[in-house]
Amino acid sequence: MAEPGQGLGGVVETVVHTSVATFHSNLVTRPTGRAVRAAIEGQLQETAGTCLSLLDFTQVDIIDFSCADEIVGQLLRRYLRSDRPCEAYFVAGGVAEHHRELFETVLSRHKLLLVAMDSDGTELWGPAPRELQWAWARLDAMGLVRARDLETREGMCQTAAAALLEELAAWRVAIPKEHNAFSSLPAVVRQRCQGLLPLGGGLGRVAERRAEYDEEGAAEGSGGSGRSAESPVSHPGIDAISA
Amino acid sequence: MTRVVAVPDTLDDRGFETLVAGWAEDRDARVLLDARHVRWVSPYGILGLLATGAASLGACGERPLLEAPESRDVASYLSRIGFYEQAHRIFDFGDHTRRRAAGDSDALLEITPIQSHQDVHDVVDRVRDRAAAILGNRLGYPPSAVVHFSVILSEVCQNIVEHAEGDGWVAAQTYNWRQRLGRQVVIIAVMDVGMGFRGSLAREHAQRYGDRWSDETALEAAFLHGVSRYRDPGRGQGLQGIRRQVSRWNGLFTIRSGTAQISEIPDWLDKQPVIGGLPDFPGAQIQVVLPQIIKSGQGGEGGRGNG
């Protein structure tokens, strides 16, 4: 895989929910993809501090390789770099099953990882090695995890567990927290976007997992659970939720 | 002096090769393309006729002449699919040809010029409902197939805008390939007379291939390895994605460029995957053939013909 990004994001202060299909009904051609990406980046630049961007593909009928490359591939690459415009994490929501291979192709070409949420749950997409997939799955199941949790629960050397979690964070598919803890991106989405996500039946599982996450006793950074409030919508199809 | 080049009576992919061979004998002379005896055309053949005219215009600087098909069926079909609207921009010929009446085409996609990304959007928007009906009802494809079909259409059309640096066209039509395959097919044809794959990739990749650099190696690089004229790793995914999807549907995907042709070959066709030594022709000529899904106990039906 390519070199992961430098520097780690901190506490997520804002979740930006972008309904991608609002910009164009059919997401084809590179100029369309660039326009969508520019709109997403424009919204991110209006946020303060670390943010999580939920890219909602629920209403997307058609998306081609070129457009997906511009929206997902180029966006993730840009925010993986040390000179990224701001601290942002990305989650793809509501990607139709028949579009999944297209996304995987884009991620493989760029050697990128992306967290995906849909009505069936959450997954880590992209060419992640098996051990990284495993660590991410554990993190996703627990919501918030420390290296010693993996060590205790999985019989893994703490140093190795810490290295895996740090690698997930470096790929920006996990959020580093205080005291060597790491949060899963879906956990943040569930906590901040309850009632907003149009991701179908997945909300049931969202609630279930959120409870598990809260049982860990860790507040979600400065945000805390259940304190979400919608901010004014400044772009079509984009809702910003500030903590 | 005007040179007469006979257009084969069956103007499909094979007929196009015959046409190109005739034109290539003397590219610098003004030509008259004699299509009077054409009895059957495919989208690939029709676009090939336009492309040959455009290539001739580019090579000798004079508009070629066209003798239109005498067959009423073929002439009617050419009118309906919008051939003459495009041909009038390239050829000199008598104005006895019938312009298309609005809304009387049964083509999946009439001949559509591709010059910009907006044209690609328009094509994808326009073809969606018809494609859903044809793929689902006539070819037995699942509902999601229209999405993959649209992606194929989008990517092959973008190839013109992004790489050809020249005009191009797209057309699509369903046929009954009773003799050739025993079932219905959808044929998508996309052609341009631009710089071709070799020209597009030369600046970035020719040096690496050294003496081996040719139309064949350029096609192999793009088709098999996803190489693009751009260094960005995100480029070159489109053709790879088309190959995978067409292969899944047991379809045929061919690209001809310069003197070579490369194909993703289905199990129902006996064909060499790479063919070299063809008559040189500018740009790229792409054909996708998607066959009807045959369920057990179901056979092909109907006949082969235009109309």
Side-chain angles (χ1 to χ4, degrees), chain B residues 288-305:
Chain B
V288 177
V289 180
L290 305 176
Q292 178 185 7
I293 294 174
I294 298 292
K295 295 169 186 170
S296 56
Q298 186 182 352
E301 57 182 6
R304 176 175 178 262

Side-chain angles (χ1 to χ4, degrees), chain A residues 25-26 28-32 34 61-66 69-70 74 77 98-99 101-102 105-106 109-110, chain B residues 117 120-121 124-125 128 144 147-148 150-151 154-155 158 162 226 232-238 241 244 248:
Chain A
S25 55
N26 290 328
V28 296
T29 78
R30 287 193 175 272
T32 298
R34 286 187 205 113
D61 286 334
I62 297 169
I63 181 167
D64 69 12
F65 290 98
S66 302
D69 181 66
E70 290 291 340
Q74 306 294 343
R77 271 179 65 184
H98 51 260
H99 287 144
E101 183 184 334
L102 188 145
T105 300
V106 169
R109 290 282 295 219
H110 286 286
Chain B
H117 287 101
V120 181
H121 270 277
V124 171
D125 290 344
R128 184 181 171 80
S144 62
V147 173
H148 299 301
S150 298
V151 171
S154 170
E155 294 291 350
Q158 281 182 79
E162 296 268 343
D232 188 327
R235 298 289 187 140
Q237 301 174 67
R244 277 195 303 273
R248 238 176 245 139

Side-chain angles (χ1 to χ4, degrees), chain B residues 148-227:
Chain B
H148 299 301
F149 180 84
S150 298
V151 171
I152 289 172
L153 204 51
S154 170
E155 294 291 350
V156 289
C157 289
Q158 281 182 79
N159 197 61
I160 296 173
V161 181
E162 296 268 343
H163 302 287
E165 296 185 4
D167 291 351
W169 308 268
V170 59
Q173 177 76 52
T174 52
Y175 287 98
N176 247 310
W177 270 15
R178 187 175 185 181
Q179 294 173 359
R180 198 185 287 197
L181 186 59
R183 49 182 144 155
Q184 296 187 71
V185 296
V186 163
I187 301 178
I188 305 171
V190 179
M191 287 198 187
D192 68 76
V193 288
M195 66 170 67
F197 277 69
R198 184 181 182 183
S200 175
L201 298 177
R203 196 175 70 182
E204 281 295 320
H205 302 284
Q207 196 171 11
R208 187 154 45 90
Y209 283 81
D211 292 342
R212 292 177 50 242
W213 184 244
S214 66
D215 290 315
E216 287 177 66
T217 50
L219 277 175
E220 287 174 359
F223 197 79
L224 301 178
H225 308 300
V227 165

Side-chain angles (χ1 to χ4, degrees), chain B residues 52-212:
Chain B
T52 304
S56 178
L57 177 58
C60 76
E62 286 187 90
R63 287 163 69 93
L65 299 161
L66 177 67
E67 285 287 349
E70 292 175 344
S71 161
R72 293 183 65 179
D73 285 347
V74 173
S76 171
Y77 176 71
L78 291 179
S79 292
R80 295 200 308 276
I81 202 167
F83 170 78
Y84 294 112
E85 291 174 43
Q86 305 306 319
H88 274 289
R89 301 173 186 178
I90 298 168
F91 296 98
D92 281 336
F93 58 122
D95 207 26
H96 58 278
T97 54
R98 190 168 71 93
R99 294 293 185 109
R100 177 179 51 170
D104 65 354
S105 170
D106 61 352
L108 175 53
L109 177 66
E110 297 87 353
I111 298 172
T112 306
I114 301 295
Q115 295 166 333
S116 69
H117 287 101
Q118 186 56 49
D119 292 333
V120 181
H121 270 277
D122 293 344
V123 163
V124 171
D125 290 344
R126 194 187 320 155
V127 82
R128 184 181 171 80
D129 289 343
R130 287 188 209 176
I134 289 170
L135 292 173
N137 299 339
R138 293 170 65 173
L139 267 62
Y141 284 38
S144 62
V146 69
V147 173
H148 299 301
F149 180 84
S150 298
V151 171
I152 289 172
L153 204 51
S154 170
E155 294 291 350
V156 289
C157 289
Q158 281 182 79
N159 197 61
I160 296 173
V161 181
E162 296 268 343
H163 302 287
E165 296 185 4
D167 291 351
W169 308 268
V170 59
Q173 177 76 52
T174 52
Y175 287 98
N176 247 310
W177 270 15
R178 187 175 185 181
Q179 294 173 359
R180 198 185 287 197
L181 186 59
R183 49 182 144 155
Q184 296 187 71
V185 296
V186 163
I187 301 178
I188 305 171
V190 179
M191 287 198 187
D192 68 76
V193 288
M195 66 170 67
F197 277 69
R198 184 181 182 183
S200 175
L201 298 177
R203 196 175 70 182
E204 281 295 320
H205 302 284
Q207 196 171 11
R208 187 154 45 90
Y209 283 81
D211 292 342
R212 292 177 50 242

